[in-house]
Amino acid sequence: MPPSFIPCGSRLGRLPISLAHRMAALLIATAVPGALSGQAAPPAPAGIPTVTATAAAPVEPVVTPFANFYVAAGQAKFDVTGINSRLNINNGFFALSGDGYTTGLGFYIPVGGIMAGLEYDLLDMGYESTPAGKTDVLKANMLQGRVSFRLLSTWDVTLHGDLQLGVGTVSAKFRDRAGGASLAPATNPTWDEILLKPGAESEMRGTFYTVAPGMGIDYIFLKDAKSQRGFTVGVQFATSLAPHRTAWTYGGRDVFGAPDGAPVSTQVRITVGYGGFALAH
């Protein structure tokens, strides 16, 4: 039987059907992959969001403020206005200075979202001495509870706002080289009576309370990137306020007509200590 023919254009003439099928298959196998390789992916239908796969970012640990155990030293300011108003030519004592220095030790540790701690301080306001041999000395000590709020915390720096509530005792000693009689212990004396008859030494002690808002910054020296402990250094600023008058006693008895006296004004201190922190994930 003679082979069948199909029309394939005027120039090609007629080709056998089986040969035409082979040529068509070869054409498709060659042209289609090339066309697909240069063709961009079809756009996603409108309204369907596209998702791009990316690697998950590592979770950074949260740095909590480091705990700090420290010693402190700096300036002290004490309200001696009322005391000095009672030191005059009649009793022969010189006025005291309101500027002195303070030393102390304390600590704070992170508790939840705050830092809590305690601090004990000694204040030395110095003394004054007259050519006649009369001396007056003023010193104090304080115990303060502390609550601090983190303002900034990094691997090695903590910036914090502070609120300190404290109770303290002030000691005012009056000495006379010549000695002489002192007040009888049977009565509650006045402040001026004690100054007129101090004897070899008379001491009056007062109790005061303070509120001291402030702020500070502490730096911890870390040996390497894995360290979480190290020595610390810091600076603290605090302004002391006394909510009420100082209550004075002499030999365990109340003193009448006593002046006020307590830490006041802004004080600056330097701290040196040792501390560390923990990582919270």
Side-chain angles (χ1 to χ4, degrees), residues 129-177:
S129 184
T130 71
K134 289 191 172 183
T135 304
D136 42 339
V137 184
L138 187 66
K139 296 184 178 182
N141 59 78
M142 296 176 59
L143 179 64
Q144 300 183 92
R146 171 177 175 172
V147 177
S148 300
F149 305 90
R150 179 183 63 181
L151 302 178
L152 173 66
S153 180
T154 67
W155 292 106
D156 48 15
V157 175
T158 298
L159 176 65
H160 47 85
D162 305 322
L163 179 62
Q164 300 180 28
L165 303 177
V167 57
T169 301
V170 55
S171 168
K173 294 182 179 180
F174 299 93
R175 301 167 180 159
D176 189 348
R177 185 184 61 176

Side-chain angles (χ1 to χ4, degrees), residues 23-234:
M23 293 180 63
L26 180 62
L27 178 62
I28 293 173
T30 304
V32 172
L36 291 178
S37 64
Q39 182 178 350
I48 300 178
T50 59
V51 178
T52 303
T54 58
V59 178
E60 292 292 336
V62 178
V63 181
T64 61
F66 52 81
N68 195 14
F69 298 82
Y70 59 86
V71 294
Q75 64 179 160
K77 293 183 178 294
F78 205 90
D79 182 9
V80 294
T81 305
I83 297 175
N84 285 341
S85 68
R86 312 293 277 277
L87 305 178
N88 50 52
I89 193 173
N90 294 327
N91 51 54
F93 289 99
F94 282 172
L96 291 161
S97 172
D99 295 308
Y101 67 89
T102 178
T103 57
L105 54 88
F107 74 91
Y108 64 81
I109 58 175
V111 179
I114 64 174
M115 296 174 287
L118 287 174
E119 186 174 310
Y120 180 76
D121 297 302
L122 297 174
L123 290 75
D124 192 336
M125 311 310 297
Y127 69 93
E128 296 293 338
S129 184
T130 71
K134 289 191 172 183
T135 304
D136 42 339
V137 184
L138 187 66
K139 296 184 178 182
N141 59 78
M142 296 176 59
L143 179 64
Q144 300 183 92
R146 171 177 175 172
V147 177
S148 300
F149 305 90
R150 179 183 63 181
L151 302 178
L152 173 66
S153 180
T154 67
W155 292 106
D156 48 15
V157 175
T158 298
L159 176 65
H160 47 85
D162 305 322
L163 179 62
Q164 300 180 28
L165 303 177
V167 57
T169 301
V170 55
S171 168
K173 294 182 179 180
F174 299 93
R175 301 167 180 159
D176 189 348
R177 185 184 61 176
S182 58
L183 291 177
T187 59
N188 291 344
T190 67
W191 179 276
D192 293 332
E193 289 173 343
I194 298 171
L195 295 182
L196 290 173
K197 295 182 179 181
E201 180 179 283
S202 292
E203 180 184 15
M204 288 179 279
R205 302 178 67 86
T207 300
F208 59 85
Y209 299 90
T210 61
V211 178
M215 67 179 300
I217 183 170
D218 297 307
Y219 181 86
I220 184 170
F221 294 89
L222 300 175
K223 183 171 60 175
D224 51 47
K226 297 181 179 180
S227 297
Q228 294 177 231
R229 305 287 186 273
F231 290 99
T232 65
V233 64

